Amino acid sequence: QVQLVESGGGLVQPGGSLRLSCVASGRFFSINDMDWYRQAPAKERELVAAVTSGGSTIYADSVKGRFTISRDNAKNTVYLQMNSLKSEDTAVYYCKAVATLTGRGDYYYWGQGTQVTVSS
């Protein structure tokens, strides 16, 4: 009922930048919370940033001052601007959305993930 398609990952050198996008499509009444998670090899998945429908944001301490999360409600899209990238940012990045389905309640969905590799 809701599909999330991510794009923007790739290989960059330390200090470089990337902009990730995640577009929600399908049949739903509204998209509520939208988050970015990441998972490095042999590590647990962790929350990177989140933004509510009202625009409130939170960030993991490790990315504060470097990453910016934003959303375009008209396009049902969430973005993650990543600047001053470090090798420890290397991971698969996933978007997650909470959607209100028409005539039903709230459900959450995961994107397929996009690889971000920071290496010299």
Side-chain angles (χ1 to χ4, degrees):
Q1 292 177 297
V2 178
Q3 296 79 44
L4 304 177
V5 179
E6 300 178 346
S7 62
L11 173 65
V12 298
Q13 295 185 347
S17 298
L18 284 174
R19 184 174 186 251
L20 306 183
S21 300
C22 179
V23 181
S25 62
R27 299 180 180 179
F28 50 84
F29 178 76
S30 63
I31 299 293
N32 307 120
D33 183 60
M34 300 189 80
D35 311 332
W36 284 100
Y37 287 74
R38 68 185 181 187
Q39 186 167 20
K43 297 186 66 176
E44 297 181 350
R45 187 172 299 184
E46 64 175 347
L47 177 67
V48 177
V51 59
T52 69
S53 60
S56 298
T57 60
I58 60 172
Y59 297 93
D61 289 340
S62 59
V63 306
K64 287 181 179 178
R66 300 187 297 119
F67 290 11
T68 302
I69 188 171
S70 61
R71 63 188 292 169
D72 186 333
N73 291 331
K75 298 180 179 180
N76 294 318
T77 301
V78 62
Y79 305 94
L80 185 67
Q81 178 67 48
M82 304 184 293
N83 298 326
S84 302
L85 284 163
K86 306 174 181 179
S87 60
E88 50 263 45
D89 295 319
T90 296
V92 177
Y93 284 70
Y94 300 89
C95 66
K96 171 177 172 286
V98 177
T100 298
L101 305 185
T102 303
R104 303 178 67 185
D106 292 347
Y107 299 85
Y108 67 88
Y109 301 88
W110 290 94
Q112 79 284 1
T114 184
Q115 177 70 48
V116 172
T117 302
V118 185
S119 177
S120 59

